[in-house]
Amino acid sequence: MDGPGDDSTQGVGLQLPERVLAEMVAHCLASFPDEGCGLLAGDPAEASAVRCYPTRNAAGSARLYTVDPLDHLRADRDAEASGLSILGVFHSHTHTDPYPSPTDVAQAPDPTWHYVLVSLRDEVPSVRSYRIVRGEVTEEPVELVG
Amino acid sequence: MTVDGATVGEVLQALESTHPGLAGQVLTADGSLHRFVNVYLNDDDVRYLERLDTKVSDGDVVSILPAVAGGAS
């Protein structure tokens, strides 16, 4: 665990409306065999991802993703216009566990973000959420809300 | 927020004075744009314009976004 005073890893986890979960998984399935990716937005005071922004994978790869920068800009503007902020990013691992890879950890840009992984390895997709602070990965609970 | 500046570089300098440390996140030691940051003038990536020398006009919007990437490999 992180030391005292590091509030960014504290908290109750990520709240995910079932509609957002469905949009996220649908986008990852539609992107297959490439990794699918997108951004999650919500009220920054509450760790609730009320909006899903599917984005293009600019890397166009089954093993890498890059959120298309212009899609990121549009999502950021749309969220801001709705009084929301980008809270995190999701992407799929098509053949591996839903756990951040060394690449994911090395490139995680924001310690306040939620990093959501969608694994398509098994028949039923599995979804996990993590905080990544200074290279330290901590899984957080995902609470599905109606 | 609203700041003054004739170029994207000047806008970033103006932001550095109100948000110390920002330039260090956006620029490399030699003063060019960090590769893990995307800077937009309105809808255009300044890398495809004149980078930090890109001219800005009244009402233009400069956006600074982290590059978001990763993957299973």
Side-chain angles (χ1 to χ4, degrees):
Chain A
M1 292 300 289
D2 287 281
D6 193 349
D7 292 331
S8 50
T9 54
Q10 308 300 310
V12 293
L14 179 67
Q15 287 193 343
L16 211 52
E18 287 180 20
R19 168 184 50 81
V20 170
L21 175 71
E23 286 173 13
M24 213 166 50
V25 171
H27 179 62
C28 290
L29 288 170
S31 302
F32 189 88
D34 287 349
E35 290 194 2
C37 58
L39 296 162
L40 298 169
D43 180 343
E46 300 167 24
S48 181
V50 298
R51 197 169 292 176
C52 169
Y53 292 103
T55 63
R56 289 170 288 181
N57 177 358
S61 161
R63 301 185 63 80
L64 291 171
Y65 81 96
T66 299
V67 170
D68 181 88
L70 194 54
D71 289 354
H72 185 177
L73 178 70
R74 288 178 178 140
D76 195 70
R77 282 194 189 150
D78 187 82
E80 193 175 309
S82 310
L84 305 174
S85 295
I86 303 296
L87 300 179
V89 59
F90 69 89
H91 77 280
S92 60
H93 282 178
T94 57
H95 294 93
T96 53
D97 284 332
Y99 190 82
S101 68
T103 312
D104 294 331
V105 175
Q107 301 196 25
D110 193 325
T112 68
W113 274 16
H114 303 267
Y115 290 86
V116 176
L117 267 295
V118 178
S119 173
L120 303 179
R121 186 189 59 185
D122 302 323
E123 196 170 335
V124 178
S126 55
V127 176
R128 300 277 188 277
S129 184
Y130 303 88
R131 309 306 287 268
I132 304 175
V133 181
R134 293 190 299 275
E136 191 96 10
V137 179
T138 311
E139 184 171 359
E140 61 178 357
V142 175
E143 185 190 350
L144 282 181
V145 293
Chain B
M1 60 206 73
T2 303
V3 294
D4 290 325
T7 63
V8 168
E10 288 183 20
V11 167
L12 294 177
Q13 281 169 17
L15 284 171
E16 171 67 19
S17 62
T18 53
H19 296 75
L22 180 136
Q25 304 271 329
V26 179
L27 304 175
T28 60
D30 67 3
S32 57
L33 273 178
H34 204 293
R35 57 186 285 246
F36 294 122
V37 173
N38 297 308
V39 177
Y40 280 84
L41 176 67
N42 301 317
D43 284 347
D44 296 310
D45 188 331
V46 302
R47 283 193 183 86
Y48 300 108
L49 300 172
E50 293 172 63
R51 295 175 175 260
L52 296 174
D53 295 329
T54 304
K55 304 261 185 305
V56 298
S57 308
D58 269 359
D60 278 345
V61 176
V62 175
S63 305
I64 304 165
L65 296 170
V68 184
S73 65

